[in-house]
Amino acid sequence: MAITIGVDVGGSHISCGAVNNDNFSIIPGTYFSGAVDSKASMESIIKNWATIINQTIQAAQQVLNTSDAAIGIAFSMPGPFQYETGIAMFEGNDKYESLYKVSVSDELLKYLTAKKVSFRFLNDASCFGVGGTLQQKSEVSSRAIAITLGTGFGAAFLDNKLPVTQGDHVPHNGCLWDKLFKGSIADNYFSTRWFLNQYESITGDKLTDGVKEIAGIENYATATIFDDFANNLSEFLAPFIINFDADLLIIGGNIAKSHRFFLSKFQENLKSKNINLNISIIENTEQTSILGSSYLYNEVFWERLKEELPYF
């Protein structure tokens, strides 16, 4: 019996769990998460990752009553990264820079308690998108766009669950964060810092606890901010939705947890542009990314994906 483990690597954390491939769920008792200092040394980061992954390995071996099963570890990994080779290319982005040109799989093997291990990697936004499409209750979608709204703005375009990164119907690399919007880039409008900057600009008060804090205030200023956010998001996304002919939009990230303040306005704006599509709000982004990454060990899916793994 093989064990499949999904791993979600964030800028300040790592989470992982063993996945039941029969019902596409995290096996109870195998989910672990921990903080990571992304500015630490290479050895410190790898050891930290290994500690959390080892907890999942040992828990899965105990639950499944096996100690010698082959283990497949699939990573939901931010870029820049060589997803085919497993070599990190973090440089100039203020996180994990000590891993630059490091083979993550080679280094991790030094510290894992199991040795019959294989590794697969995919971009974190793509993993969230794959996991999000697989969690839909019915197979109503063939073309989906998944976005994560948090400290940054992630995106993935999916055709029958397969991430699409090139072609006339998707933006370059399937990314949206770096695309132009209102004289800047989209990441500056659809991230936590935009909310904090807007709140300070309107009220003169400086907040530090993110969108959740703004949502908890519920005054005229916050209502204005969420309306502006809905207007901006619909204006920005509309051309991409139309060009990709998407029938599903999946929204995750910490900002999605405050969807009751912007979703209705956002949907109204899309309808005014004659855009009608299903919208799925996913509040547990990390676990969805874990599930999505684990799907890399679905061999039919992997055969379709591996020839087109992005390099970014």
Side-chain angles (χ1 to χ4, degrees):
M1 176 189 298
I3 297 173
T4 302
I5 293 174
V7 181
D8 179 51
V9 174
S12 59
H13 79 280
I14 182 172
S15 303
C16 59
V19 175
N20 183 329
N21 296 317
D22 293 330
N23 63 8
F24 196 63
S25 65
I26 294 176
I27 298 171
T30 69
Y31 176 81
F32 295 90
S33 183
V36 178
D37 178 5
S38 65
K39 298 181 185 298
S41 67
M42 181 271 287
E43 185 178 29
S44 176
I45 291 169
I46 295 293
K47 281 184 175 179
N48 198 335
W49 287 359
T51 297
I52 301 298
I53 295 170
N54 280 333
Q55 289 178 291
T56 291
I57 289 174
Q58 290 157 12
Q61 288 174 332
Q62 185 172 4
V63 169
L64 300 174
N65 194 28
T66 179
S67 60
D68 61 352
I71 298 173
I73 302 178
F75 279 82
S76 167
M77 183 74 75
F81 198 89
Q82 291 183 9
Y83 294 98
E84 183 177 357
T85 62
I87 295 175
M89 300 302 293
F90 304 115
E91 184 181 34
N93 57 349
D94 203 36
K95 64 181 178 184
Y96 298 124
E97 291 187 289
S98 63
L99 299 183
Y100 182 60
K101 291 189 176 180
V102 167
S103 170
V104 170
S105 49
D106 287 351
E107 293 301 324
L108 269 175
L109 274 175
K110 298 176 183 178
Y111 303 105
L112 294 181
T113 54
K115 299 306 175 186
K116 290 170 61 176
V117 176
S118 63
F119 299 90
R120 291 176 182 177
F121 302 86
L122 186 62
N123 174 263
D124 52 353
S126 295
C127 285
F128 170 74
V130 172
T133 57
L134 287 164
Q135 288 185 84
Q136 300 307 305
K137 292 180 180 179
S138 60
E139 292 289 334
V140 297
S141 170
S142 60
R143 297 174 76 82
I145 298 174
I147 60 172
T148 51
L149 304 166
T151 54
F153 179 36
F157 292 74
L158 303 110
D159 186 355
N160 289 314
K161 305 181 185 68
L162 189 71
V164 181
T165 59
Q166 302 294 338
D168 294 338
H169 301 298
V170 297
H172 179 61
N173 274 342
C175 294
L176 291 176
W177 70 272
D178 56 347
K179 303 306 179 280
L180 295 178
F181 185 66
K182 291 191 172 182
S184 184
I185 60 171
D187 201 64
N188 290 331
Y189 281 86
F190 308 117
S191 57
T192 300
R193 65 182 177 280
W194 179 85
F195 279 88
L196 297 176
N197 289 339
Q198 288 298 106
Y199 189 84
E200 184 177 3
S201 175
I202 294 173
T203 68
D205 296 328
K206 196 177 186 73
L207 300 179
T208 58
D209 201 25
V211 176
K212 181 180 179 181
E213 185 178 8
I214 293 174
I217 296 170
E218 292 195 48
N219 58 20
Y220 173 77
T222 60
T224 299
I225 290 169
F226 278 109
D227 273 358
D228 287 346
F229 177 76
N231 291 336
N232 287 336
L233 188 62
S234 55
E235 179 184 345
F236 175 76
L237 283 181
F240 298 103
I241 293 171
I242 293 169
N243 197 38
F244 192 60
D245 193 23
D247 50 28
L248 172 66
L249 176 65
I250 302 167
I251 304 176
N254 284 330
I255 295 172
K257 296 175 182 177
S258 301
H259 64 87
R260 67 187 180 95
F261 295 103
F262 67 84
L263 184 58
S264 178
K265 179 73 171 176
F266 174 69
Q267 288 175 307
E268 287 176 15
N269 291 345
L270 290 183
K271 286 179 180 178
S272 72
K273 301 175 186 291
N274 294 316
I275 296 173
N276 293 288
L277 79 170
N278 294 309
I279 298 178
S280 174
I281 301 292
I282 293 181
E283 296 195 6
N284 199 324
T285 303
E286 287 180 22
Q287 292 195 20
T288 298
S289 295
I290 287 172
L291 292 172
S293 66
S294 75
Y295 203 62
L296 298 180
Y297 279 92
N298 176 303
E299 296 304 330
V300 174
F301 179 76
W302 181 246
E303 284 301 314
R304 294 170 61 207
L305 175 68
K306 67 181 183 180
E307 300 301 325
E308 300 182 21
L309 286 172
Y311 177 114
F312 62 90

